[in-house]
Amino acid sequence: YGYSKHLFDLYAQRHGFLDQVVGVKYFNVFGPNEDHKADMRSLVNKAFQQILATGRVQLFKSHKPEYKDGEQMRDFLYVKDAVEMTIHFADRATTAGGLYNLGSGEANTWLTLAHAIFSALGRPPDIEFIDMPEVLRGKYQYYTRADISKLRSTGYARPMTPLTDAVRDYVRGYLVTGKKLGE
């Protein structure tokens, strides 16, 4: 996405049609119906499986002194919010051209996410920190947060689902039951 997106942005700008298209970048989407993503499934989905199998969740140790283990941060976006944002743009295709970040607009730690998963399952947290694979260490992002001010400027005023509520809905309503979104 990264390099090809950059090339598309430049091409669209150069040829004057950037304001006629809506491009979106989704930040760390999680939620029902993601099983097909295999290794790219969200940590919520993977952690649920780990907890069922072992009773614990594994998170990467930090390799930067400014971040303690588990305090790396991400902007986690519930799929139901991502759908609402996408529909918002479909309804404004002729007036909201440009490129947009779609996320919750806030960064949460991996520990916060893991604790929310255990809480949704009614279990005490059991977290093991493991070494990050060498191949990821130079590429790993320790902090992401979507700037959603441009999204908000288009009139999108819906509040985002709080992380703990979104995790609870996903875990209890879908992962535990095996239900799929849309059923």
Side-chain angles (χ1 to χ4, degrees):
Y1 170 78
Y3 189 67
S4 61
K5 178 203 171 297
H6 177 70
L7 291 176
F8 175 80
D9 296 353
L10 291 175
Y11 181 83
Q13 259 180 330
R14 248 186 239 129
H15 295 286
F17 66 85
L18 188 58
D19 61 343
Q20 298 170 26
V21 297
V22 171
V24 297
K25 177 184 179 189
Y26 296 98
F27 279 64
N28 301 291
V29 177
F30 70 95
N33 303 12
E34 66 173 312
D35 290 328
H36 70 282
K37 293 166 47 179
D39 281 345
M40 298 306 291
R41 290 171 297 137
S42 71
L43 179 67
V44 179
N45 188 294
K46 291 177 182 179
F48 173 78
Q49 299 302 326
Q50 286 179 17
I51 293 166
L52 290 184
T54 69
R56 75 169 36 128
V57 169
Q58 293 181 324
L59 297 177
F60 290 140
K61 292 178 184 176
S62 174
H63 291 275
K64 288 190 174 185
E66 61 268 31
Y67 291 91
K68 292 179 183 172
D69 293 343
E71 292 187 2
Q72 306 93 321
M73 301 181 86
R74 289 283 185 283
D75 185 328
F76 300 107
L77 178 62
Y78 195 35
V79 71
K80 291 180 180 181
D81 292 330
V83 168
E84 290 297 328
M85 293 172 185
T86 304
I87 291 170
H88 169 80
F89 284 117
D91 292 341
R92 286 160 186 75
T94 59
T95 60
L99 305 171
Y100 295 86
N101 290 324
L102 301 186
S104 69
E106 78 177 47
N108 282 282
T109 68
W110 289 108
L111 281 173
T112 300
L113 183 67
H115 283 266
I117 298 163
F118 279 105
S119 177
L121 289 169
R123 295 185 181 206
D126 186 354
I127 300 168
E128 175 186 9
F129 293 101
I130 61 171
D131 283 324
M132 185 181 302
E134 281 290 334
V135 69
L136 294 180
R137 287 186 193 174
K139 303 173 195 171
Y140 189 81
Q141 294 178 304
Y142 278 73
Y143 180 89
T144 66
R145 185 186 67 79
D147 177 354
I148 60 170
S149 58
K150 189 172 178 183
L151 165 68
R152 293 291 192 202
S153 76
T154 67
Y156 189 82
R158 285 181 67 111
M160 304 305 166
T161 307
L163 182 63
T164 54
D165 294 349
V167 168
R168 184 181 322 105
D169 183 63
Y170 181 27
V171 170
R172 292 182 183 173
Y174 300 93
L175 292 175
V176 168
T177 65
K179 180 180 164 189
K180 300 290 181 199
L181 186 62
E183 290 183 341

